[in-house]
Amino acid sequence: MSPEAVNSFFSLCIGFAFAGMLASGYQAFARRPAGFGLLNEGVVAKAFAAVPFLVFAAPFIIMRNTLLGARVERRRFEFVMMATVIAGFWSLMSGTFFLMTLRAAGVLA
């Protein structure tokens, strides 16, 4: 396996782990699951503050909603696969950003 492939896989895993951590932390704090409905909150400042949170928590939310919809609504395989690819790519990008931030801060070599 090439070093680039290992780095991409590590970024993907870090992205999903970070998204799960954020969504689980929100659920523990707010006592309700995180969702894209946070953008529809009444106060503009509150919805604006939810954007950075949702940027990094989105892969977990997408996969949670997709897997729940596949079980409850019997969604087609193509829809589930497309949502998985989107969540995976989003996780790869957020994980890459997270790792780049840690490298810039000097935490990682």
Side-chain angles (χ1 to χ4, degrees):
M1 209 176 197
S2 69
E4 292 83 14
V6 172
N7 192 26
S8 293
F9 181 71
F10 188 60
S11 295
L12 178 79
C13 292
I14 290 292
F16 270 125
F18 189 59
M21 181 190 67
L22 285 176
S24 297
Y26 177 84
Q27 187 169 353
F29 180 72
R31 306 237 188 261
R32 65 184 178 122
F36 294 110
L38 292 172
L39 295 173
N40 293 332
E41 296 289 327
V43 182
V44 175
K46 193 174 184 181
F48 186 70
V51 171
F53 168 75
L54 288 174
V55 164
F56 290 103
F60 179 84
I61 295 169
I62 291 170
M63 288 308 300
R64 183 194 63 211
N65 293 345
T66 300
L67 295 176
L68 184 64
R71 257 187 271 136
V72 174
E73 299 173 4
R74 297 285 186 210
R75 291 185 182 159
R76 294 181 8 185
F77 172 77
E78 294 85 4
F79 178 77
V80 174
M81 188 63 197
M82 182 179 62
T84 302
V85 168
I86 290 170
F89 183 73
W90 197 324
S91 175
L92 178 68
M93 293 299 109
S94 64
T96 302
F97 178 79
F98 185 66
L99 288 175
M100 286 174 51
T101 303
L102 289 177
R103 285 187 186 116
V107 176
L108 293 177

